Amino acid sequence: MKVEFPDARPLTPEEQDEYNRLKTIIERAIADKVVTEAEVETIRATALRNKPSPELLYQQLRLYRELVTDKVNQGLLIAERFGELG
């Protein structure tokens, strides 16, 4: 399902810097084809620091989905077991 936000504004230069910083962190985390719980926590903390604008948060979530979640679902990336189940 594709979601579009026609009223969304472009990212500011500062937001673009934050986005690029997160992208670098994610790319380093997945370089070994395994994403650990500690790496996910670092990604989460980076994305949520400084209370991102809705536009930036949406872009960050999309980036995480494309670089991590989709690859885990396709079997291209291994996700460490996160937390205790049941």
Side-chain angles (χ1 to χ4, degrees):
M1 174 168 90
K2 184 174 180 174
V3 178
E4 293 190 28
F5 296 95
D7 295 332
R9 63 166 176 74
L11 297 179
T12 66
E14 294 81 15
E15 290 172 331
Q16 190 63 50
D17 288 344
E18 286 293 317
Y19 176 87
N20 290 334
R21 185 173 327 171
L22 181 65
K23 184 176 181 184
T24 298
I25 290 169
I26 293 172
E27 288 172 340
R28 287 182 184 158
I30 66 173
D32 63 355
K33 305 292 185 210
V34 175
V35 63
T36 67
E37 189 170 0
E39 289 168 334
V40 169
E41 186 53 41
T42 298
I43 292 166
R44 181 179 296 126
T46 301
L48 297 178
R49 103 173 137 205
N50 300 330
K51 290 190 164 187
S53 69
E55 292 84 1
L56 177 57
L57 184 58
Y58 170 76
Q59 294 296 327
Q60 291 173 327
L61 291 171
R62 185 181 56 77
L63 177 69
Y64 184 84
R65 186 190 75 240
E66 290 173 0
L67 295 181
V68 179
T69 306
D70 289 351
K71 289 182 180 183
V72 168
N73 290 337
Q74 295 169 8
L76 303 173
L77 182 65
I78 297 169
E80 202 178 62
R81 184 173 160 192
F82 301 116
E84 293 300 318
L85 301 176

